[in-house]
Amino acid sequence: MKYNIAFGLMSASLLAANAFAEEAASAESAAESKGPEVAISGEVEFDAYTGDLINDDKVNHEYATTFDLNFAVKFNDQWSAEVQLEADGETADPAAIYNGAFVQYTKSENFVIKAGDLTFSEGAFQNYYEYDDPADNAAGMAEHDIRGVEVDYNGFVFGLGFGRGDNDNQVCVVEDGEESCVGVAYDAHVAYELGLGEQTIRPYVDYKSYQEPKHNELHAGIDANLKFGVVGLHAVYGLHMDNLGEDEPGATHALLVEPSLELGAVNVKGSLFYALFDDKAPIDHGDEIPEYFFGYVEPSFGVLDFLTLGVPVEYHSRTTDVNEDKSTLDLGVRAYFTPVEGLEITGFAMVNVGIGDDSDVDGVGLNLGLETVFAF
């Protein structure tokens, strides 16, 4: 009788184990049949600004709109991909266009390889609201788009590829009455991010060539984010060089210091920026370095859980030419309304005082603006 009971228990156990194995295999097969996992995320910003309400004859207005849409595809724990669409412009209805795609292999959290459309930027402005988009401005290097490969290993970043979009340069020739153009720019990027507790230090070097003896660029420097209790400090040194084939290539040195203080409902943040241009061969950096000097400080106060008021005070040179005096002193109020996570509405009123002899502001000006950002 004992053996019959034992045999029965063993048989039941085997049957249960077999059923469990079949169920697990079925679940795994079903998971595989589902195919890749797709996640959608994005961000939308739509802004409206007035012109100078005091000096302009009419009440002028202007818009800015940004729409980013990202599709992330996960094939398994190691292989994934992403494609991005973007609409961005100083208008109310910018056209949405393809903004890049890449595939990614993740060996571990410390070893990742990407191939496709990639973007590198360094030393972005973090505190000052007007220059905080690295696509346009940066003390270190504004965004460089490439189509190539990136390797991330234990804080080390290496990227290499051909220039893409605004980061490319084309050579055009006319043959038999028809024009054909090919891109010739390539870009190499190296950086290393050293993390020490809450402190991070990131040296970087970026070389871009148009394959012409006197037309290439070098960006190099260091970006540091430091934290000491309630005090934070972001500091950047950026070296920008152009025309490296020249006997004396032009160079611009950019320095950025951004302190911050967090004391509960009271916060203070600031930015101090200075760019030293070469007197003999000054470089036109476009929007990347919009002016040679500015200083900004903004204390803010949490009035309610969802409402913060800031009082910005700013000094701007408004030019990259140290021989021009276009400076302004700007001050006003900014209101940050965050009713739910992922949604922020910012309204502001700024008084601009022209203090330079060549200032574009005639006496005192007044501008209003409203910015709305939501993420999903």
Side-chain angles (χ1 to χ4, degrees):
M1 186 69 174
K2 289 186 194 176
Y3 297 105
N4 289 337
I5 294 174
F7 180 75
L9 290 172
M10 183 166 36
S11 298
S13 299
L14 290 173
L15 287 172
N18 183 60
F20 179 77
E22 289 180 355
E23 185 178 346
S26 176
E28 183 177 352
S29 176
E32 290 179 355
S33 67
K34 285 202 246 177
E37 299 177 11
V38 179
I40 301 175
S41 63
E43 183 174 281
V44 178
E45 177 173 353
F46 49 96
D47 309 326
Y49 309 100
T50 71
D52 188 338
L53 297 180
I54 295 178
N55 296 301
D56 293 344
D57 294 332
K58 298 179 180 180
V59 179
N60 301 318
H61 65 270
E62 58 186 47
Y63 300 122
T65 309
T66 300
F67 169 57
D68 292 318
L69 184 61
N70 305 319
F71 297 87
V73 182
K74 182 179 179 181
F75 301 102
N76 56 36
D77 289 340
Q78 292 184 315
W79 288 96
S80 60
E82 187 170 317
V83 61
Q84 305 163 347
L85 299 178
E86 180 185 61
D88 185 28
E90 304 296 318
T91 176
D93 54 351
I97 59 174
Y98 169 85
N99 193 40
F102 63 85
V103 296
Q104 177 173 304
Y105 172 73
T106 305
K107 177 66 175 175
S108 68
E109 63 178 11
N110 294 321
F111 185 23
V112 176
I113 300 175
K114 299 178 184 179
D117 298 325
L118 309 168
T119 299
F120 299 98
S121 65
E122 302 287 353
F125 297 93
Q126 294 182 1
N127 287 357
Y128 184 51
Y129 58 90
E130 191 172 344
Y131 299 150
D132 62 357
D133 186 352
D136 300 319
N137 316 118
M141 183 187 78
E143 288 182 355
H144 280 191
D145 295 325
I146 70 167
R147 177 163 289 182
V149 64
E150 175 186 343
V151 178
D152 301 339
Y153 180 71
N154 281 334
F156 174 82
V157 178
F158 172 73
L160 179 64
F162 297 112
R164 184 173 64 92
D166 293 337
N167 193 43
D168 204 358
N169 187 52
Q170 292 189 328
V171 171
C172 299
V173 296
V174 177
E175 294 181 356
D176 299 328
E178 294 186 0
E179 184 182 55
S180 61
C181 301
V182 294
V184 294
Y186 66 86
D187 207 310
H189 193 86
V190 180
Y192 178 72
E193 187 158 309
L194 175 64
L196 301 170
E198 294 189 81
Q199 330 299 331
T200 60
I201 299 175
R202 182 183 175 96
Y204 64 90
V205 176
D206 187 281
Y207 174 77
K208 175 184 173 183
S209 173
Y210 290 160
Q211 302 186 60
E212 298 174 4
K214 296 182 179 181
H215 198 164
N216 40 32
E217 302 175 13
L218 177 69
H219 300 265
I222 188 166
D223 186 340
N225 279 284
L226 309 176
K227 186 76 173 176
F228 308 98
V230 297
V231 177
L233 180 64
H234 175 228
V236 178
Y237 164 71
L239 170 66
H240 308 258
M241 299 185 69
D242 204 352
N243 296 329
L244 299 181
E246 297 278 8
D247 294 336
E248 296 182 2
T252 301
H253 303 270
L255 298 170
L256 172 66
V257 178
E258 297 189 301
S260 60
L261 176 65
E262 299 178 6
L263 296 172
V266 179
N267 295 286
V268 182
K269 61 180 179 179
S271 296
L272 186 64
F273 175 77
Y274 185 79
L276 180 63
F277 292 85
D278 191 309
D279 292 335
K280 297 181 180 178
I283 303 172
D284 181 5
H285 299 282
D287 290 334
E288 183 173 50
I289 298 179
E291 54 185 327
Y292 76 85
F293 176 75
F294 80 87
Y296 155 80
V297 63
E298 181 179 348
S300 60
F301 313 89
V303 180
L304 300 169
D305 290 342
F306 54 85
L307 179 63
T308 299
L309 297 180
V311 183
V313 179
E314 310 170 22
Y315 173 86
H316 293 274
S317 64
R318 299 296 182 190
T319 179
T320 57
D321 187 348
V322 296
N323 296 314
E324 292 182 329
D325 188 7
K326 293 188 173 184
S327 55
T328 64
L329 179 64
D330 309 330
L331 61 158
V333 62
R334 292 173 62 85
Y336 304 91
F337 178 61
T338 53
V340 295
E341 184 177 356
L343 171 62
E344 181 174 296
I345 301 172
T346 303
F348 66 85
M350 293 294 296
V351 173
N352 317 115
V353 182
I355 59 177
D357 294 336
D358 305 318
S359 177
D360 295 330
V361 179
D362 184 14
V364 177
L366 173 64
N367 301 88
L368 306 179
L370 187 65
E371 302 171 341
T372 303
V373 182
F374 66 87
F376 55 91

